[in-house]
Amino acid sequence: MIEHQEIAYLGHVELGTPKIEESLWFFKELMGMSEVARDGDSVYLRVWAEHDLTTLKLTAAPEAGIRHIGWRAMSADALERRAKALEATGQGIGWIEGDVGHGPAYQFRMPAGHLMEVYWDRELYEADPELKPYYKNMPQRMPSHGAGIRKLDHLHVLTDDVPANRGFLADELGFKLRENIVLDDGREISSWNSVSPIVHEIAVSLDAVVGARGRLHHVGWLCDNREDVLRAADIMAENGIFIETGPGKHKISHQYFMYVYEPGGNRIELVTQGYLIFEPDWKTVTWTEADRRDGQAWGLRMPASFHAYGTPEVDLESAEQREIPIARLG
Amino acid sequence: MIEHQEIAYLGHVELGTPKIEESLWFFKELMGMSEVARDGDSVYLRVWAEHDLTTLKLTAAPEAGIRHIGWRAMSADALERRAKALEATGQGIGWIEGDVGHGPAYQFRMPAGHLMEVYWDRELYEADPELKPYYKNMPQRMPSHGAGIRKLDHLHVLTDDVPANRGFLADELGFKLRENIVLDDGREISSWNSVSPIVHEIAVSLDAVVGARGRLHHVGWLCDNREDVLRAADIMAENGIFIETGPGKHKISHQYFMYVYEPGGNRIELVTQGYLIFEPDWKTVTWTEADRRDGQAWGLRMPASFHAYGTPEVDLESAEQREIPIARLG
Amino acid sequence: MIEHQEIAYLGHVELGTPKIEESLWFFKELMGMSEVARDGDSVYLRVWAEHDLTTLKLTAAPEAGIRHIGWRAMSADALERRAKALEATGQGIGWIEGDVGHGPAYQFRMPAGHLMEVYWDRELYEADPELKPYYKNMPQRMPSHGAGIRKLDHLHVLTDDVPANRGFLADELGFKLRENIVLDDGREISSWNSVSPIVHEIAVSLDAVVGARGRLHHVGWLCDNREDVLRAADIMAENGIFIETGPGKHKISHQYFMYVYEPGGNRIELVTQGYLIFEPDWKTVTWTEADRRDGQAWGLRMPASFHAYGTPEVDLESAEQREIPIARLG
Amino acid sequence: MIEHQEIAYLGHVELGTPKIEESLWFFKELMGMSEVARDGDSVYLRVWAEHDLTTLKLTAAPEAGIRHIGWRAMSADALERRAKALEATGQGIGWIEGDVGHGPAYQFRMPAGHLMEVYWDRELYEADPELKPYYKNMPQRMPSHGAGIRKLDHLHVLTDDVPANRGFLADELGFKLRENIVLDDGREISSWNSVSPIVHEIAVSLDAVVGARGRLHHVGWLCDNREDVLRAADIMAENGIFIETGPGKHKISHQYFMYVYEPGGNRIELVTQGYLIFEPDWKTVTWTEADRRDGQAWGLRMPASFHAYGTPEVDLESAEQREIPIARLG
């Protein structure tokens, strides 16, 4: 068991997209991110309120999906400890020298197949003079265009075994189980896990598709407030971006949300205003089928796609789907 | 044709409720209204930012529904002119002496059967010392409890003939048709009508139930902003009030909405932030089936009840329902 | 006396600026307006939610200030009536053929010297395909950059005689006095006047500078909600625009405000969420010195500049200033 | 040096008030707190979204001020470690058995004299059936009255030696210095310190009054969003509560704030939407005199009282005041 916090935060994600130019337009023009580097098929992006140089690596790829997930350690020692522990699980891959924005990283796979890495050294963003912020405690000037996101917030991955995968995150990285959904037949189908006071840096849910591996449900970016999400809804609608559902409120996590599909196909969430957990002895909140029968907050029903769609996309006509009696995702 | 504005605003509505105590709790505790008088089976209520004494008459009745609708005239002369015109239509009923809060009123029925009245003299609210407002231009102290509504905004009624009824409102009272929905088969199924710059004081839609008369779709109260509607959603949810749909945004009128059923069964809307029409030569915006195919703003779908439920309630199992190819209400 | 509404709305304003390029950057990049035409030293701008082609004419000029104010009439007949009445006052100048966006206009001067015009014919905006809006009832796609203003809202002018000038607006154009400030010595120093339910399309206040003529206090643009104004504050701050005061709330009009100086020197207000007046028999709300002693809502004090600065700017060191015991502007 | 987090959160504060009934009215009716117990001269209160039984102990006392400050430890072991370390400093007082809502606590004084305690065992709130929340992850139903605060957030204390006192908090309890203000003469006059990702659970500033000890600047409660703070401003104004300044935005911490005096005289802050620090290697942001010259965000100037008033109140006429060249508090 991990006693003290070893992972500090979700450092970056790499998304694959089959439409790199359209995806770049989405993240830069509509979401308001800025580009910091290019390397081969990849473009490195950042959000203005993030201190680290880059948090999104967007890579041209045949299929949409999450290509890797980077966790920043609490210290150089914590990184060493995690690398050893991960190696011992048999899920370890090994060290890489680093990438744009960070130094040596130890790579491994979650049992469900998602590629992850832990690292300590990272490059801080230094604003050019014309991007110096008004606020001395912010790294960059807030852009006057786009949806007003502040930072990378969390991601939500799909697996064929929720307890095994979120248990791996708990045992090897120290994630705490904040909330989950357990069906009447005992199956845990969703879990919200965090190392910090936010309810989740990573949610792990059961993939509706049997045999699918390493799929992404969505990546979430943080807005300051609900009005920003509502304004973002109009920006997305005006620019022809598909809004899957929302703006609405999750009962789980209390986050106010909107889900859209970026042009490459990845589901993107804009979220705000969840609750924080400061209690070291927080008791997991478990939602039953009965609890979930009334949908999201205020009775909103998620569309069917919300429970079946992920990236890479699977042909749902030909795929075998699991029988899940209720909507399984927050 | 009416050249100048003859009706100033929606002055009051009378709602019937089979659960008067529960309805009173809803309007006073959750909506934040205050009681100004009682008379027989009726209780007279007001909202803090309204200058007139009372805008809601709540009457114990076997069935929920709209019992009458009061329009304030632009002047004593306008009242006389409207009374004469209405009498000439054959829809006139005659003068009443008045009621709590207003003087002589001329009563009539819309062709669809809804009882209406026009009046000029009304009583202004005078706050008791302990309810004196902080703002000299407001009539009453803002309450620190409830959903934060400011004033009565509009109502939405159901008829078997939209053009005839909204035409009657145009010809006899001067309402202008701001927006409407016209099906591919030529049927106008919904219309938003106003005498002032707000998009509607009264919407008139086709009743889904054949043979129903004088039914109410909903009455709407105005909130200051979207956050008030979102906060109201939590207040309603915490207090067991059924939220039918929302908070969401209407494409028509741009109002941000939430629909709930008050305990007596009447559908209540909390709305905010619609657009205003200052143009004297406004051209009606007509929405086609194609325009309505994507639902409300951001893709929200209204539940089936939204298109069939009204008060008085009709047993939808036994009733004959009209075939309406798309969701017909904003 | 004017019985029926003759002026429909504030149609456009022309601002002079000694820094045309910087002013254009401010209105286009920060405020989010778009350019529709250029003619000589003038650039014609519009806001996305406005139906008329253009509402702001920005003209390179030696001094900042309001060059002319355009009022749209309720009808062609109303325009004829107003032209005749204005001519009879001796303040009339005569007809012009029109300008970009509107047809024949009758020009005149307010007693205080401000150039005004009334017109009926105007050009409607037609969006190019790539700017077609998501909302059929809107004329143009909402931009994803800038402060989120929706439309031109009002202006505030300075005079040496408030009663004479707001009386002229009442007698010749039909403006109603909604609120005003009257000092203990009987001087009316500020007035809020409107033809529509908004509290003011034009405020008229006493100029602090003796001998100044035709000065502008500010022009106000409407935002959807307070969060937009707060977000605009960060946009202005991040871009080095001087924020004179706010965001805060006016007691008078209830508008939530922020005042900035555009690079050319004109004071600009971003406002939202005032109250509406539907009563034909509205009684002017008069604020006394005692009423104004506590400042704006929540106790905010306006800076000294708010009461002395206007455009064209006057050298306050050498100018004679009126003694006005309290802050005189809302 | 403390390597791992030992203090979990600010558990409770005890405020003295010379007007216990009026203070109770303020905290219950206007702030929306609920009473959970009474004992002697003290009333125990809580906010609906807090899991612990009680977070505010309000005690009738001759003078306003902060009577004690309770920190919850990360574990029983952490409590033992802290007690030993504190004892070794000479600032230790000893163990108490507990109080309403928590078990054994080790008490001590900050060098500046403020009484503090650390504890581990605490009582969780259990809602009565009629207060069961809509949200399973919340402990209590959200009230439909009052300012909409969610939880106790932070406090701000005054000392005669900022480095010594915030250093004590760092060395003995593990607080990290997030932001501070350092004058040109080298004096550190304000510091924001936290154990969790929020910018401060406790700020420590230089008391403007020479010789004053153990004074409170303010206690802050968290609102969900800026609209709640704005709505609270109207609630406070309507109920005659003195608003000292705000709503406005701090540059430091980015919190949107409003300061009021509760009837007993203690300064109360309603705050929302600060930024979070997840970086384990956060570098303190130091603000200089030059940085602070433009006031709060958007240029707001704090009133003089903000820099001199604290509780217990001191007669500023007779007291010796320190010369502090700029506004020293966020």
Side-chain angles (χ1 to χ4, degrees), chain B residues 72 136-137 281 286 291 298, chain C residues 72 134 136 281 286 291:
Chain B
R72 183 151 189 247
K136 196 179 188 176
N137 42 13
D281 46 355
T286 295
D291 292 329
W298 314 321
Chain C
R72 184 152 188 247
Y134 174 70
K136 196 179 188 175
D281 47 354
T286 295
D291 293 329

Side-chain angles (χ1 to χ4, degrees), chain B residues 211-224:
Chain B
R213 265 184 74 77
R215 293 218 300 167
L216 172 71
H217 191 270
H218 69 265
V219 179
W221 273 270
L222 188 70
C223 292
D224 256 2

Side-chain angles (χ1 to χ4, degrees), chain A residues 78-153:
Chain A
L79 170 56
E80 289 302 323
R81 282 190 298 267
R82 287 314 100 211
K84 271 184 203 134
L86 288 160
E87 194 171 31
T89 64
Q91 293 291 133
I93 296 173
W95 289 90
I96 60 164
E97 255 185 62
D99 197 349
V100 173
H102 68 86
Y106 185 81
Q107 292 198 318
F108 61 99
R109 284 194 190 277
M110 232 185 21
H114 303 77
L115 179 62
M116 295 181 167
E117 65 188 23
V118 188
Y119 62 97
W120 165 245
D121 284 322
R122 56 66 159 103
E123 189 176 343
L124 284 170
Y125 172 77
E126 279 297 324
D128 287 336
E130 75 278 10
L131 290 178
K132 287 285 180 212
Y134 175 70
Y135 296 101
K136 196 179 188 175
N137 43 13
M138 285 290 112
Q140 181 181 352
R141 181 174 297 177
M142 186 189 83
S144 60
H145 75 280
I149 58 170
R150 285 187 74 90
K151 64 185 294 292
L152 177 62
D153 186 76

Side-chain angles (χ1 to χ4, degrees), chain A residues 5 44 68 70 157 168 188 190 204 266:
Chain A
Q5 190 177 348
Y44 297 81
H68 88 269
V157 295
F168 176 86
E188 181 185 32
S190 263
V204 178
N266 295 296

Side-chain angles (χ1 to χ4, degrees), chain B residues 78-92:
Chain B
L79 171 56
E80 288 303 323
R81 283 191 296 267
R82 288 312 102 212
K84 269 185 204 132
L86 287 160
E87 194 173 30
T89 65
Q91 293 292 130

Side-chain angles (χ1 to χ4, degrees), chain A residues 72 136 281 286 291 298, chain D residues 72 134 136-137 281 286 291:
Chain A
R72 183 151 190 249
K136 196 179 188 175
D281 47 354
T286 295
D291 292 330
W298 314 320
Chain D
R72 183 152 189 247
Y134 174 71
K136 196 179 187 175
N137 43 13
D281 46 355
T286 295
D291 292 329

